[in-house]
């Protein structure tokens, strides 16, 4: 059993030494991955880190605040193109990423406004409209998207004598860790509590003094910031932007990651990101199968394991903790 | 402390409240009785900003409550419980009570990001006092959905108390409890008034307990106030008896 001696102890990020050891092992293993000298693995790792950031953000919005959104692709595009243009105009990478996040955050604020009136499926439709609109705007505005030629973004530079792939791997690795910690902190603070309260019962949350408008908009804006950062990193990863990278399918991908990973779990969001990146690689040549696999998995998860991979993981841990008693 | 004048509200063609006047004094327990659908809960919903009254005036400590949103009203010092429990079912009991402290948090989003938790500790102490008072120690870390009904009722009362309100609205706080729990809850309501120095408005169907607790009583029927005064007098009032049992 866990014995707590002070209130302060309960507020720590990692409370039990064993959890700390487990997380530490994973973090160190990931830091050592470049030693294997397989660019393929590094590339996959980078993609997972990039996606993990956005999926965590969406989990804050969908899983914790309970606001269903399908506009992810739009925010990704805004982040990616903002970064691309900022970078092309000579701003540094840090400024570019921040600008991408902020721009997406501002749009998140705007898209959040319908959430003050709409709930559930109606909100999903409204946000979906936003995603599709951004895609259409990109298709038809050559000044932003570079038209038929597409838009080239310079890739992340190679630093400290490491290869470009390795440098970018470490960069995204650190950012992913940063966003994970920030998210855990936010969720366990008064902000996160207000988010969850809104999800569980908005009427009583308001009667308890939570300003619904403020926290819903904050949640939208924050989660969009994450997506903007994801978009910026994505731009540097592929080095080439075209509107077709930001179709509705992309929104679905991220949504699927949130559901499969587990609603209202940040660890789950990371696992969900791993799932949507790794599974398409496993099917290899048969890309048409990917949506089918995603669809079936979501169905299975919703029916048998509503808390996603994170829920299953929790149950496995509980089993071993209680073993051999049941 | 609270003054309501000529309060009316309509839903379509139904007049849920018409011309209600009432006052609540500091540290007073006011019981509101009346048959189902007589407008007791509607009145609470008007007071907490969930419904917007059609006409009339509500003044709380000298200031009008009309047109304020529920969260602003909570910040003025009015807390409530709900008839059909509206708890945050997936949060722990502790977090439910901590959310009750929301309005007292010094909000600083940077501190939230960086896990600076001095505020949290400060409020935790207040919450622990309430946990002790309501005997919730054993359930502190439990998910609310897993707690038995009687405990959930206590949690909801605790959440409202965590707000440190000046006026506490209790919507049927003892309905659905066992006889033993009822006595306990009634005792707690008295105790709350003494400890936290709040005025309490109480909607209750159990007339015996309602009149025992109350300093004053008001009876509603079809959205109108039909009697007010001392509990004994209200219960003997002919109109009240007619509203409950009908004519001979």
């Amino acid at each position: 059993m866990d014995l707590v001696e002070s209130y302060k102890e309960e507020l720590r990020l990692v409370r039990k030494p064993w959890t700390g050891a487990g997380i530490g092992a994973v973090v160190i293993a990931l830091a050592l991955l470049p030693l294997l000298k397989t660019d393929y693995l590094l590339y996959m790792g980078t993609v997972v880190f990039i996606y993990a950031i956005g999926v965590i953000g969406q989990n804050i919005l969908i899983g914790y605040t309970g606001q269903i959104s399908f506009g992810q692709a739009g925010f990704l595009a805004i982040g990616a193109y903002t970064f691309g243009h900022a970078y092309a105009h000579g701003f540094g990478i840090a400024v570019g990423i921040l600008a991408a996040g902020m721009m997406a955050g501002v749009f998140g604020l705007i898209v959040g406004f319908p959430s003050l009136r709409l709930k559930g499926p109606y909100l999903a439709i409204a946000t979906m409209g936003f995603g599709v609109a951004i895609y259409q705007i990109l298709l038809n505005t050559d000044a932003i998207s570079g038209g038929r030629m597409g838009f080239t973004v310079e890739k992340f530079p190679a630093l400290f004598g490491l290869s470009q792939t390795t440098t970018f791997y470490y960069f995204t690795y650190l950012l992913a860790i940063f966003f994970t910690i920030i998210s855990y902190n936010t969720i366990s603070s008064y902000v996160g509590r207000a988010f969850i309260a809104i999800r569980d019962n908005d009427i009583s949350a308001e009667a308890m003094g939570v300003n619904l408008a403020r926290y819903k908009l904050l949640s939208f804006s924050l989660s969009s910031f994450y997506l903007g950062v994801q978009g910026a990193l994505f731009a540097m990863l592929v080095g080439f932007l075209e509107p077709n990278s930001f179709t509705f399918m992309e929104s679905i991908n991220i949504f699927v990651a949130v559901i499969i990973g587990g609603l209202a779990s940040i660890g789950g969001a990371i696992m969900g990101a791993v799932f949507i990146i790794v599974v398409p690689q496993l099917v290899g040549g048969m890309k048409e199968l990917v949506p089918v696999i995603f669809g079936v998995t979501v169905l299975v998860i919703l029916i048998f394991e509503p808390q996603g991979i994170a829920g299953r993981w929790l149950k496995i841990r509980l089993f071993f903790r209680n073993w051999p008693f049941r | 402390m609270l003054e309501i004048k000529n309060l009316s509200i309509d839903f379509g063609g139904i007049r849920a409240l018409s011309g209600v006047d009432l006052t609540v004094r500091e540290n007073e327990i006011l019981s509101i009785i009346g048959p189902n659908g007589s407008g007791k809960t509607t009145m609470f919903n008007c007071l907490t900003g969930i419904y917007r009254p059609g006409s009339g005036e509500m003044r709380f400590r000298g200031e009008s409550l009309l047109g304020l949103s529920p969260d602003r009203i909570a910040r003025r010092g009015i807390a409530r419980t709900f008839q059909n429990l509206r708890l945050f079912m997936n949060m722990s009991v502790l977090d439910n009570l901590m959310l009750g402290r929301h309005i007292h948090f010094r909000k600083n989003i940077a501190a939230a990001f960086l896990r600076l938790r001095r505020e949290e500790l400060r409020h935790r102490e207040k919450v622990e006092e309430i946990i002790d008072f309501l005997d919730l120690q054993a359930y502190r870390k439990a998910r609310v959905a897993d707690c038995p009904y009687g405990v959930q009722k206590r949690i909801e009362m605790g959440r409202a108390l965590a707000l440190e309100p000046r006026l506490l609205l209790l919507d049927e706080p003892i309905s659905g409890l066992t006889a033993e729990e009822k006595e306990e809850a009634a005792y707690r309501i008295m105790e709350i008034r003494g400890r936290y120095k709040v005025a309490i408005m109480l909607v209750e169907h159990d007339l015996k307990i309602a009149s025992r607790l109350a300093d004053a009583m008001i009876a509603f029927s079809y959205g109108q106030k039909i009697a007010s005064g001392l509990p004994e007098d209200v219960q003997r009032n002919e109109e009240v008896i007619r509203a409950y049992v009908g004519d001979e």
Side-chain angles (χ1 to χ4, degrees), chain B:
Chain B
M1 154 183 241
L2 177 75
E3 239 181 303
I4 295 180
K5 281 211 179 100
N6 203 20
L7 193 74
S8 302
I9 183 169
D10 306 276
F11 297 113
I14 298 164
R15 183 138 263 223
L17 285 177
S18 59
V20 173
D21 297 312
L22 66 85
T23 43
V24 182
R25 279 180 291 277
E26 298 275 351
N27 219 10
E28 174 183 60
I29 298 185
L30 174 71
S31 275
I32 302 176
I33 60 168
N36 289 325
S38 59
K40 305 177 299 288
T41 301
T42 308
M43 160 104 166
F44 274 14
N45 284 342
C46 287
L47 261 174
T48 47
I50 293 170
Y51 295 157
R52 304 251 149 137
S55 66
E57 177 61 291
M58 310 183 285
R59 300 187 78 80
F60 180 62
R61 300 180 356 143
E63 288 170 82
S64 174
L65 294 177
L66 284 181
L68 291 181
S69 61
D71 60 298
R72 301 274 290 279
I73 290 177
R75 237 166 282 161
R76 294 270 169 97
I78 299 183
R80 71 173 292 183
T81 66
F82 293 86
Q83 189 174 359
N84 317 310
L85 300 177
R86 285 183 171 278
L87 285 160
F88 310 120
M89 285 294 177
N90 296 306
M91 280 163 119
S92 68
V93 172
L94 180 64
D95 276 335
N96 266 271
L97 299 185
M98 286 297 274
L99 192 105
R101 301 286 309 166
H102 185 83
I103 57 168
H104 297 292
F105 267 78
R106 218 172 296 139
K107 314 253 183 342
N108 181 346
I109 193 141
F113 288 154
L114 299 176
R115 198 172 269 271
L116 304 176
R117 294 292 148 78
R118 198 179 315 138
E119 281 290 284
E120 200 94 355
L121 295 175
R122 195 162 68 87
H123 293 298
R124 177 73 191 269
E125 273 171 33
K126 294 267 182 193
V127 164
E128 287 295 331
E129 273 173 35
I130 294 170
I131 287 180
D132 284 344
F133 172 55
L134 293 173
D135 252 335
L136 288 169
Q137 297 92 336
Y139 297 96
R140 199 183 276 127
K141 286 291 164 70
R143 214 166 62 112
V144 171
D146 301 336
C147 295
Y149 186 76
V151 173
Q152 291 187 357
K153 281 252 170 194
R154 268 188 273 158
I155 298 167
E156 195 166 47
M157 205 182 274
R159 190 181 62 180
L161 278 180
L163 239 89
E164 293 185 44
R166 292 304 195 79
L167 174 63
L168 184 60
L169 312 180
L170 299 175
D171 202 344
E172 305 201 5
I174 40 188
S175 69
L177 299 177
T178 64
E180 208 171 309
E181 286 172 326
K182 272 186 184 176
E183 286 304 318
E184 240 178 57
Y187 164 76
R188 276 206 188 89
I189 292 168
M190 289 303 267
E191 188 71 11
I192 286 170
R193 183 223 338 234
R195 257 192 209 217
Y196 297 92
K197 305 280 174 257
V198 290
I200 298 176
M201 276 170 88
L202 184 72
V203 164
E204 191 44 64
H205 281 298
D206 187 324
L207 289 183
K208 223 158 104 197
I209 290 181
S211 54
R212 202 176 76 205
L213 290 176
D215 302 318
M217 190 178 257
I218 286 185
F220 276 4
S221 177
Y222 294 109
Q224 276 171 325
K225 187 171 90 171
I226 51 174
S228 68
L230 289 174
E232 308 85 76
D233 300 339
V234 171
Q235 281 185 43
R236 288 202 201 96
N237 185 301
E238 276 179 25
E239 279 209 58
V240 175
I241 295 170
R242 199 175 308 135
Y244 270 93
V245 279
D247 287 319
E248 282 180 75

Side-chain angles (χ1 to χ4, degrees), chain A residues 82-99 154 236:
Chain A
T82 307
F83 177 81
H85 284 283
Y87 200 28
H89 283 84
F91 291 101
I93 289 175
V95 177
I97 290 178
L98 205 60
E154 214 178 309
M236 273 192 284

Side-chain angles (χ1 to χ4, degrees), chain A residues 16-280:
Chain A
K16 290 175 203 149
W18 280 113
T19 325
I23 295 169
V26 172
V27 169
I28 290 171
L30 287 174
L32 296 178
L33 195 63
L35 293 180
L36 293 176
K37 300 221 180 295
T38 47
D39 272 4
Y40 174 71
L41 266 187
L42 282 192
Y43 179 79
M44 294 296 295
T46 312
V47 181
V48 167
F49 292 148
I50 294 176
Y51 269 79
I53 295 174
V55 177
I56 291 173
Q58 285 308 297
N59 211 338
I60 292 179
L61 180 69
I62 301 171
Y64 285 100
T65 322
Q67 309 295 311
I68 297 174
S69 161
F70 275 114
Q72 288 89 345
F75 297 113
L76 280 180
I78 288 169
Y81 281 99
T82 307
F83 177 81
H85 284 283
Y87 200 28
H89 283 84
F91 291 101
I93 289 175
V95 177
I97 290 178
L98 205 60
M102 305 261 258
M103 185 68 95
V106 169
F107 273 89
L109 196 68
I110 298 167
V111 175
F113 273 101
S115 75
L116 307 180
R117 294 262 168 225
L118 303 176
K119 276 184 191 171
Y122 306 101
L123 180 62
I125 292 168
T127 50
M128 191 157 95
F130 166 77
V132 174
I134 292 288
Y135 172 68
Q136 289 297 335
I137 290 171
L138 288 175
L139 273 187
N140 297 305
T141 320
D142 293 359
I144 301 173
S145 64
R148 206 162 297 179
M149 301 289 292
F151 185 79
T152 314
V153 181
E154 214 178 309
K155 287 205 175 188
F156 196 80
L159 297 170
F160 314 117
L162 299 165
S163 73
Q164 194 271 337
T165 323
T166 316
T167 327
F168 196 46
Y169 174 82
Y170 278 124
F171 183 66
T172 50
Y173 166 78
L174 291 176
L175 272 184
I177 291 179
F178 173 77
F179 277 103
T180 309
I181 294 176
I182 291 282
S183 312
Y184 270 114
N185 290 353
T186 311
I187 284 312
S188 61
S189 72
Y190 73 92
V191 180
R193 208 177 291 127
F195 286 168
I196 300 172
I198 290 173
R199 177 196 67 193
D200 276 5
N201 203 320
D202 52 349
I203 292 180
S204 70
E206 205 178 13
M208 290 294 121
V210 175
N211 187 330
L212 283 192
R214 180 177 303 158
Y215 284 93
K216 277 185 179 176
L217 293 179
L218 179 64
S219 180
F220 260 98
S221 178
L222 190 67
S223 63
S224 307
F225 184 93
Y226 283 63
L227 281 177
V229 172
Q230 183 191 335
L233 295 173
F234 176 80
M236 273 192 284
L237 177 78
V238 293
F240 178 78
L241 296 176
E242 53 172 349
N244 278 333
S245 312
F246 306 105
T247 55
F248 183 56
M249 228 14 242
E250 194 57 30
S251 301
I252 297 282
N253 271 347
I254 294 181
F255 191 80
V256 164
V258 172
I259 301 283
I260 291 181
L263 287 167
S265 160
I266 290 175
I270 298 170
M271 294 187 240
V274 173
F275 183 90
I276 57 158
I277 302 304
V278 171
V279 166

